[in-house]
Amino acid sequence: MSVSDTHRTIDAIWRIESAKLIAVLTRIVRDIGLAEDLAHDALVIALEQWSQNGIPNNPGAWLMTTAKRRAIDLIRRNKLRDQKYSEVARNTDLYTEDDMDHNLDGEIGDDLLRLIFMTCHPVLPQEGRVALTLRLLCGLTTDEIARSFLAAEATIAQRIVRAKRTLRDRDIPFEVPAGEELSDRLSAVLEVIYLMFNEGYSATSGNQWIRPLICQEALRLGRVLAEIVPYEPEVHGLVALMEIQSSRFRTRVNSRGEPVLLMDQNRAEWDQLLIRRGLKALDRSQKLGRPFGPYSLQAAISACHAKAPTAPETDWIRIAALYEALSRVLPSPIVDLNRAVAVSMAFGPDFGLQIVDMLGNESSLKGYHLLPSVRGDLLVKLGRFDEARKEFEHAASMTRNERERELLLKRAAECNSAH
Amino acid sequence: MRFMMIVKATSDSEAGVLPSQEQFDAMQKYNEELVRAGVLLAADGLMSSSNGIRISYPEPGGKPKIMDGPFTEAKELIAGYTLIEVKSREEAIEWALRMPDPHGFGQGEIELRQVFEIEELTNNDDLLAKETALRKQVKEQRQA
Amino acid sequence: MRFMFIVKATGYSEAGGNYNQKYTDAMIAYKKSLAGAGVLVSAEALHPSSTGIRIMYPSDSEKPEILVGPFLADQELIAEYTLIDVDSEADALNWALRMPVPTGCGEFKIEVRKLKKNLGFLRYSGTCALEADLKDQLSMLKNF
């Protein structure tokens, strides 16, 4: 094996092992930044030794043992300075390669969970959470993260430094939150994963057909989480949502790099394996026997589209019901507008219009251009073109997006010629 | 990128002999590890070829020929597959190396193959270069 | 949110002189502390305006007019800038006040300006996904 081959192999091993290493080391040294440094030290030692002596049989265990030794050495050196750490050192057993295997399953899973609760902690700004999670749990380099977000490497690097500092300065504990806090904190974790996914999912543009890295990482992290906390229905819900959305990757952009709407996508090209995985994850969520949360509901809606052989065969009644449920757990105008359109598809535009009109009375929606825009579409469906034209013009006056304004004005003009 | 780890058939797997408890446990533990790493997409074992049929087309455009199993050349047969999604070829190799010897008795063989994805089919450099050339040609024609 | 600290030129910086070693050291330490806190985006010092050019677009002509430096060391000249990314305006001001100042070189000015559109690197949210769903649904509404 040449040196560069060894380096590539070590890269691959690092990708598989780094999150586990950092998680276990954070438990020992209680500092995420220090843990990452120690894991890197172990990697550097591996690079030196493996290039000369070859890669050991169990490289994961080798890295773990080496990193832990360094952690404990460090703690011993600081012993006089900090009594607390020396306690930790005394109680930390060094694993040998043999007993590594026994500890892999339960304990490391717990440490990974603690780590993700830390990187997604609410004291961090959203962007800090995303960057730190990609770095520590997905093992991405700063450069890879920067390229995925079209951001400067220095910006991402500094975000990560800042996030680590904040965690240290605020003395954020390495633990799984208990009691009522758990569900809030878990939503924060799921939010970070879904944010990552959406960022990658929406980023496809131009001839950038390659599936964005962070999308795949979000899905992978979701799958990992589903194994560590199998008793949380929303984790499976989120995984289901991401699997089903991913199944449409290859059809959502045409060969010119333009987005293709769901209706026009070639359903034969949807990835059936991912759809099947998504439906299975949704099933796991349902089997836990609690009412669906926002992710499971969105996954269930997505599943309706995935199961329809053709667009006209979509089960709109079920979709309308699911949006109704979603509007209760995730009240927001955009959910209500979706519900209004689904209801129109299921029961006719009269019923959809009733929902939109009720929304129109809410002052919080004043200035939301999608409201008149949807109202306009429903009015067109009812043949009330004069009213529809006014709605489109109104919507056009509200949007700041040039392209959107053009489209809306075009719709308004079409209403004139419809007479 | 997706890779398929193909476990080749052996005389045992073809004879319908189930793996030992030890092998079974090792394989299960390995699959769990794949799941925990979030890389496993699908894994299945196949029944022996005595259960299979072969459809061949000996003459181009002619009628298919149907043959019932079992088939003889064990090395060419597959006994199971595991589909994984990873970031690099090296990572796939690393996972394949971690798979336990599927059969023992010196017959175990795992083949690692990359799965074609639409991106590779459409986004290869040749096609892109051709497209760029075509665009340039069209532009020149318009200007002419 | 991002802020720019603009260090204005002085007669001294325009003459191409380096401020004293104490200032240089303090500036290096300051940048290190910015980086250590994870707020530094970039920091650059500019050559004196004698190496610069100005491209002017007079109102009565479409052609640009090119002026070669040096330019008058008035309020418009910049000598250095530091770009930081912090969580609040208070943080920005705090960092600005800690920026070292050379002694014995006359008046020294640092301008603090907030950068427009702090989009950061996250552009999308869960709402965007729901808006995309709405678009999909509306296209079906129009067609069926």
Side-chain angles (χ1 to χ4, degrees):
Chain A
M1 211 184 251
S2 76
V3 173
S4 68
D5 280 347
T6 309
H7 280 211
R8 276 207 297 276
T9 306
I10 293 173
D11 271 352
I13 292 169
W14 174 252
R15 176 171 159 76
I16 295 171
E17 306 293 344
S18 64
K20 287 187 259 175
L21 286 170
I22 293 166
V24 170
L25 290 167
T26 308
R27 174 162 52 73
I28 301 174
V29 299
R30 305 277 151 174
D31 181 316
I32 232 167
L34 187 57
E36 196 193 8
D37 291 345
L38 287 164
H40 267 283
D41 288 350
L43 184 71
V44 171
I45 300 172
L47 276 168
E48 280 170 18
Q49 297 201 358
W50 298 358
S51 308
Q52 284 172 13
N53 312 330
I55 292 165
N57 283 336
N58 193 339
W62 192 100
L63 282 169
M64 185 69 86
T65 311
T66 308
K68 277 187 165 184
R69 267 196 201 119
R70 291 189 68 85
I72 289 160
D73 282 350
L74 185 84
I75 289 166
R76 290 205 177 116
R77 261 183 277 138
N78 293 347
K79 194 175 176 179
L80 290 174
R81 267 192 269 158
D82 194 333
Q83 197 59 35
K84 186 179 84 185
Y85 280 156
S86 73
E87 281 301 314
V88 177
R90 209 173 305 136
N91 295 328
T92 305
D93 44 326
L94 271 175
Y95 295 141
T96 61
E97 294 204 8
D98 288 336
D99 58 25
M100 257 316 281
D101 287 351
H102 300 291
N103 282 297
L104 261 177
D105 308 343
E107 212 172 292
I108 292 187
D110 292 346
D111 283 343
L112 276 177
L113 188 59
R114 293 186 190 111
L115 183 64
I116 196 171
F117 273 118
M118 209 162 176
T119 61
C120 298
H121 199 283
V123 297
L124 301 176
Q126 202 68 275
E127 298 193 329
R129 294 181 214 174
V130 168
L132 199 60
T133 304
L134 282 168
R135 170 70 173 257
L136 298 183
L137 280 133
C138 304
L140 296 196
T141 62
T142 311
D143 174 49
E144 282 172 323
I145 302 171
R147 270 188 285 153
S148 300
F149 290 107
L150 305 173
E153 201 181 334
T155 309
I156 302 287
Q158 287 278 279
R159 284 272 172 183
I160 292 172
V161 170
R162 225 153 97 211
K164 284 185 200 160
R165 263 186 85 108
T166 307
L167 291 175
R168 196 177 56 210
D169 293 349
R170 301 283 204 92
D171 217 357
I172 301 302
F174 184 66
E175 63 179 20
V176 174
E180 279 180 19
E181 206 198 338
L182 179 66
S183 87
D184 280 352
R185 293 282 307 280
L186 188 69
S187 326
V189 171
L190 298 183
E191 198 184 337
V192 167
I193 298 178
Y194 193 44
L195 210 60
M196 272 159 58
F197 181 82
N198 267 320
E199 195 70 31
Y201 198 75
S202 325
T204 315
S205 66
N207 57 10
Q208 190 192 349
W209 291 314
I210 296 171
R211 209 199 281 198
L213 180 64
I214 37 168
C215 233
Q216 205 173 313
E217 283 306 322
L219 185 49
R220 193 176 67 86
L221 198 54
R223 289 168 181 160
V224 172
L225 203 58
E227 281 312 298
I228 312 177
V229 280
Y231 43 82
E232 288 292 341
E234 275 294 85
V235 175
H236 298 298
L238 175 61
V239 171
L241 178 58
M242 294 191 294
E243 300 268 15
I244 297 174
Q245 302 270 48
S246 300
S247 75
R248 298 174 196 145
F249 255 120
R250 53 178 93 154
T251 58
R252 54 190 288 281
V253 177
N254 67 16
S255 57
R256 287 186 302 279
E258 298 154 352
V260 180
L261 290 170
L262 188 64
M263 190 185 78
D264 303 315
Q265 289 174 11
N266 180 356
R267 293 179 184 229
E269 278 187 33
W270 285 353
D271 190 327
Q272 293 302 319
L273 177 67
L274 293 184
I275 291 178
R276 220 182 64 202
R277 292 182 59 91
L279 297 177
K280 214 169 134 194
L282 191 56
D283 195 45
R284 284 178 86 181
S285 165
Q286 191 160 21
K287 284 222 172 84
L288 288 167
R290 277 179 266 164
F292 270 171
Y295 293 112
S296 302
L297 284 167
Q298 289 177 79
I301 291 165
S302 212
C304 288
H305 293 297
K307 284 194 273 195
T310 62
E313 288 171 272
T314 312
D315 185 352
W316 288 107
I317 295 178
R318 183 167 164 74
I319 293 180
L322 288 166
Y323 270 119
E324 158 97 56
L326 186 61
S327 72
R328 265 179 269 134
V329 295
L330 187 76
S332 94
I334 185 70
V335 172
D336 284 324
L337 287 178
N338 269 299
R339 179 164 70 98
V341 180
V343 164
S344 305
M345 295 299 286
F347 309 109
D350 277 326
F351 296 94
L353 193 62
Q354 279 175 23
I355 296 172
V356 174
D357 286 345
M358 277 193 304
L359 286 173
N361 296 331
E362 282 180 38
S363 59
S364 65
L365 288 181
K366 294 240 154 55
Y368 190 49
H369 75 278
L370 285 174
L371 184 71
S373 156
V374 168
R375 195 161 190 275
D377 276 320
L378 293 174
L379 287 166
V380 166
K381 223 48 197 173
L382 290 164
R384 289 155 65 178
F385 296 107
D386 270 340
E387 291 164 82
R389 179 180 48 80
K390 280 179 201 145
E391 292 292 347
F392 287 132
E393 283 167 354
H394 185 196
S397 73
M398 285 158 101
T399 178
R400 282 194 206 145
N401 181 317
E402 198 58 41
R403 164 128 188 83
E404 214 160 349
R405 180 160 42 233
E406 266 173 41
L407 283 175
L408 285 165
L409 290 176
K410 201 175 138 220
R411 297 278 291 151
E414 280 164 9
C415 288
N416 277 333
S417 52
H419 284 285
Chain B
M1 44 179 95
R2 289 180 183 179
F3 283 84
M4 186 179 267
M5 299 187 275
I6 302 163
V7 172
K8 293 300 186 73
T10 63
S11 44
D12 263 3
S13 75
E14 276 299 290
V17 178
L18 293 175
S20 70
Q21 188 62 39
E22 204 179 312
Q23 282 170 335
F24 186 80
D25 290 347
M27 202 49 108
Q28 199 167 17
K29 190 170 164 308
Y30 172 70
N31 280 343
E32 275 170 24
E33 219 181 302
L34 290 176
V35 174
R36 281 176 170 275
V39 296
L40 183 73
L41 288 180
D44 288 295
L46 307 185
M47 290 186 176
S48 69
S49 75
S50 59
N51 194 273
I53 60 164
R54 251 181 203 175
I55 301 162
S56 56
Y57 294 86
E59 287 163 42
K63 274 192 176 178
K65 201 177 114 196
I66 298 177
M67 240 173 76
D68 285 318
F71 311 112
T72 46
E73 55 297 343
K75 280 279 177 203
E76 284 176 35
L77 297 173
I78 69 173
Y81 70 90
T82 300
L83 195 64
I84 56 171
E85 176 132 51
V86 292
K87 206 175 133 198
S88 67
R89 185 178 171 77
E90 286 74 19
E91 193 190 340
I93 297 172
E94 182 58 31
W95 281 117
L97 283 171
R98 291 182 185 197
M99 185 187 260
D101 176 351
H103 294 290
F105 312 112
Q107 283 195 46
E109 192 176 318
I110 301 159
E111 188 174 307
L112 183 67
R113 301 282 294 272
Q114 189 175 352
V115 177
F116 259 124
E117 282 172 79
I118 297 291
E119 293 87 46
E120 274 105 52
L121 294 173
T122 51
N123 203 17
N124 74 46
D125 291 344
D126 277 359
L127 271 180
L128 283 180
K130 270 182 202 164
E131 201 189 302
T132 317
L134 195 69
R135 276 205 191 133
K136 204 176 148 200
Q137 203 183 332
V138 171
K139 202 175 157 193
E140 280 164 4
Q141 278 170 356
R142 276 200 195 139
Q143 281 167 350
Chain C
M1 48 192 84
R2 291 170 306 160
F3 288 85
M4 186 181 266
F5 300 160
I6 302 162
V7 174
K8 299 288 182 156
T10 61
Y12 201 78
S13 70
E14 275 298 291
N18 283 326
Y19 294 112
N20 55 43
Q21 191 61 35
K22 201 174 149 204
Y23 171 73
T24 315
D25 291 346
M27 207 54 196
I28 292 172
Y30 175 68
K31 281 177 196 167
K32 268 190 188 159
S33 67
L34 284 173
V39 298
L40 181 67
V41 179
S42 74
E44 308 286 347
L46 311 183
H47 279 293
S49 72
S50 56
T51 65
I53 57 164
R54 267 185 192 170
I55 301 166
M56 314 282 285
Y57 291 89
S59 50
D60 52 351
S61 147
E62 275 184 20
K63 271 193 178 172
E65 197 180 300
I66 295 181
L67 291 179
V68 182
F71 309 112
L72 271 182
D74 55 18
Q75 298 251 335
E76 289 171 41
L77 284 184
I78 291 171
E80 281 179 49
Y81 73 86
T82 301
L83 200 61
I84 65 163
D85 181 11
V86 291
D87 295 328
S88 69
E89 287 182 25
D91 280 357
L93 192 64
N94 189 22
W95 279 112
L97 288 171
R98 284 163 63 178
M99 192 177 230
V101 172
T103 45
C105 300
E107 193 186 33
F108 197 76
K109 275 187 211 154
I110 300 166
E111 190 173 306
V112 178
R113 302 280 294 271
K114 189 172 175 178
L115 268 71
K116 263 191 179 175
K117 265 205 299 196
N118 178 38
L119 282 178
F121 58 83
L122 289 179
R123 278 159 289 247
Y124 302 94
S125 64
T127 311
C128 290
L130 283 161
E131 284 183 359
D133 289 346
L134 183 65
K135 250 189 200 169
D136 281 333
Q137 290 206 70
L138 283 174
S139 76
M140 294 204 206
L141 179 76
K142 278 177 218 162
N143 284 281
F144 302 133

